[in-house]
Amino acid sequence: MRVFVETAGGTKSRPQLEAALDYARPGDVLVVWKLDRMGRSLVDLIDRVQALQGRGIGFRSLTESIDTTTPGGRMVFHVFAALAEFERDLIRERTTAGLATARARGKQIGRPTVMTPERVAHAKELHEAGVSYGAIARTLGVSRATVTTALTSHLGERK
């Protein structure tokens, strides 16, 4: 028995899950704590479990008591997977609605911009004086991309 522990959360890469999937051999049973540890969407979850089954590897989820090595377990897996995706979609919808409500009330969402109107005006003056975007970025202490975005949106030009 080998244990893989994923310490990072979120929807990005999960190296320990990938390592566990690579390590599993025919006849093994991959055990996860919760169903959402295996996949982030119904399609992803089903694809991963079907890929395991195609390789002769079983799947168990401890929290949901799912064991795909049995026909009943496979049926329960599909039902729980659908419910898990439904719940995730509800959370996404609530989050989107909450952000829209906050924007409607005038709340600033996300990081504040580093290019204040004064900095944009300074960048515009430097640009009109023939200073390169890179030099403007170094002068203002921001990235070239930030300068390019700010000047493009304010000057309506392409660079």
Side-chain angles (χ1 to χ4, degrees):
M1 177 173 70
R2 176 130 185 232
V3 177
F4 296 84
V5 178
E6 194 76 69
T7 56
T11 59
K12 303 287 182 200
S13 82
R14 293 176 290 168
Q16 291 299 307
L17 174 60
E18 296 304 323
L21 293 171
D22 290 341
Y23 181 80
R25 300 289 176 252
D28 288 350
V29 176
L30 180 65
V31 180
V32 295
W33 170 247
K34 281 187 80 167
L35 203 54
D36 67 352
R37 299 291 88 204
M38 186 66 170
R40 293 297 184 204
S41 68
L42 178 60
V43 173
D44 185 35
L45 192 59
I46 289 173
D47 287 347
R48 286 182 190 264
V49 172
Q50 286 177 340
L52 287 173
Q53 288 174 345
R55 293 171 48 199
I57 300 166
F59 172 73
R60 260 187 216 143
S61 173
L62 298 176
T63 303
E64 292 85 5
S65 299
I66 296 172
D67 182 354
T68 64
T69 61
T70 68
R74 282 190 292 278
M75 183 205 59
V76 170
F77 161 73
H78 287 289
V79 170
F80 274 121
L83 291 173
E85 182 166 5
F86 178 69
E87 179 183 16
R88 187 168 168 80
D89 286 344
L90 285 178
I91 292 168
R92 189 177 305 120
E93 286 176 11
R94 285 187 205 123
T95 300
T96 303
L99 289 171
T101 301
R103 281 189 193 100
R105 285 182 288 173
K107 292 273 187 182
Q108 171 70 29
I109 305 297
R111 291 182 64 173
T113 181
V114 295
M115 291 300 285
T116 61
E118 296 80 20
R119 287 181 122 184
V120 172
H122 187 206
K124 185 176 175 184
E125 289 172 13
L126 292 171
H127 178 65
E128 288 170 354
V131 179
S132 71
Y133 280 34
I136 295 170
R138 286 188 295 278
T139 301
L140 297 177
V142 297
S143 72
R144 185 183 188 284
T146 299
V147 171
T148 303
T149 301
L151 291 179
T152 301
S153 65
H154 290 300
L155 298 177
E157 66 180 46
R158 296 249 175 219
K159 181 69 179 158

